Amino acid sequence: MKFFNQTIILLIITGLFNFMCAGRCNAQASGGIRIVQGGRDTVRTSEHTIIGTVAPGSSVTINGQPVKVYKTGSFGYKSHLQNGYNSIAIECTDNNGGIQTKNLRIYYDPSVSQRPTRPEAGPSAIKDTSLIIKTLPGSYLNYGNGSDRLGGAKINFLDKDILLKVTGASDNLYRIRLSDNRYAFIPKECAERVTEEAQISMAPCLSGSWSVSNTGKGTDRVSVSLETRKPYIVREETQPHRLVLDLYGVQCNSNWITQYPGLESIRDVQFEQTDSDVLRIIIHLKHKTSWGYAVKYEGNHLIVDIRHLPEKFSLSKLTIGVDAGHGGSSSGAVSPAGYKEKDQTLAMAYILTKMLQSKGARTVMSRTDDSDVSMAQRKEIFKENGIDLLVSIHCNAGGDPLTTGGTSTYYKHWTYRELANSILQNLLKIEGVKCFGMVGNFNFSLNAPTEYPSVLVETLFMSNLWDEEHITDEHFQEKLMKKVVKGLEDYLKLCTKVERKHSGPDGF
Ligand SMILES: [Zn+2]
């Protein structure tokens, strides 16, 4: 959202920092008082917040009382309105002694204090239907037909070309039958309808032989032959550390499980036929920390690749993905003074990249300029470059600009909770930074892949005035990124400790 016209002065510096916003970008270069929030004439609550901007360096009084003006030029004021008309006089004195005034007349009507609640638009109804669909690249399963701004609650990704039986459909989703006793949902854009002849392959199929091997490319692999591709749900468990993968529509006929020597990640594998048409594959892992896994099909072989531990828990041995949120036509949040999230995230991504490189890390950025890069493209960039760990940098927004703010970190898979926690704990050591919290099972697209550990860092709020002043300050951005690096280092130390504690004669 764009609040008003603005001028952003970008100093282009060659070299690594070629897109950093040098010094303070002056988003409010012109004079005058602009009201960003709270200028409406009729309100329903007595507590009223006014947010405005003036030229940076100006001073502001509201009804004769001095009000803090942040370096960005933003100011905020909370007042308690009386019934009826309230006069709010804003006076701004700029650097040259010029005076500007603005008078707001705000009508508070307590009789309409109960804001009419608009009924929430619920998910559209599922209607019974019967057809066969085939998964497309990048498809995924959802638990139910709920949704929020980031989509429904996802179970996991599915590889392409898996046939699924649809038993119902809503506007956006298919309900699919995984087995006699389990169903799930898949977004319509993740699948295509197939012809009637394909129905023959919907019957349960048999599993064939398995092999367990070290691929020699940084992963151990379990390969299970099937008559046809079937859907699966996979989860990673700890204590004991293992992957549990349920294959739906499969009956066991696996009489060979060949285990090659030289395994680094996998201790052993086993199966259970948990239902007449559900084959459970259990992969016991040697290590306590998690560095990612991938599930896919090669032909009709189900493949589970589990990454080996890094050679050493040190940034100098890792490739770190650095994601600058938004870009191009996606500005992200816009601050009261008109700063755009996409500019701050890119500046911080460059700072983080440089800091990581100085520690000897290899880095991969999802974008290096102000261009549009889709979530799918970002995931592809990170997968192709074989990153060991991803840090996505964003800025938050929302709530009351005077009270809602602070830093927060997010993870999707709970095996990466400690990664998010290490970074959050370090960010909170910065003076003045408030805690907005740590969020788990977060539905952010870049946290969904299981191939590598990932964390989303919502550095500070674009919408909060204190946060805005600091998130747009190059030196403060450096402070923030320094703490992200320290958080990564702490996490790696923790990994060293955990693996050492559990190492034994046979790798346990
Ligand atoms: Zn964002």
Side-chain angles (χ1 to χ4, degrees), residues 10 181 215 348 372 410 475:
L10 290 173
N181 295 312
T215 61
M348 286 188 279
D372 277 290
Y410 302 71
H475 301 295

Side-chain angles (χ1 to χ4, degrees), residues 325-326 331-333 341 345 393-396 456 458:
H326 308 279
S331 295
E341 180 185 352
T345 58
I393 303 292
H394 278 250
C395 310
N396 221 331
L456 163 64
E458 292 276 3

Side-chain angles (χ1 to χ4, degrees), residues 85-120:
Y85 280 106
N86 293 258
S87 290
I88 296 178
I90 305 170
E91 188 176 291
C92 165
T93 310
D94 66 25
N95 281 329
N96 304 320
I99 293 177
Q100 304 255 0
T101 58
K102 198 169 202 97
N103 291 304
L104 301 177
R105 233 165 105 75
I106 296 169
Y107 188 76
Y108 167 45
D109 183 355
S111 68
V112 289
S113 62
Q114 293 305 319
R115 185 187 288 267
T117 49
R118 202 186 299 162
E120 287 266 319

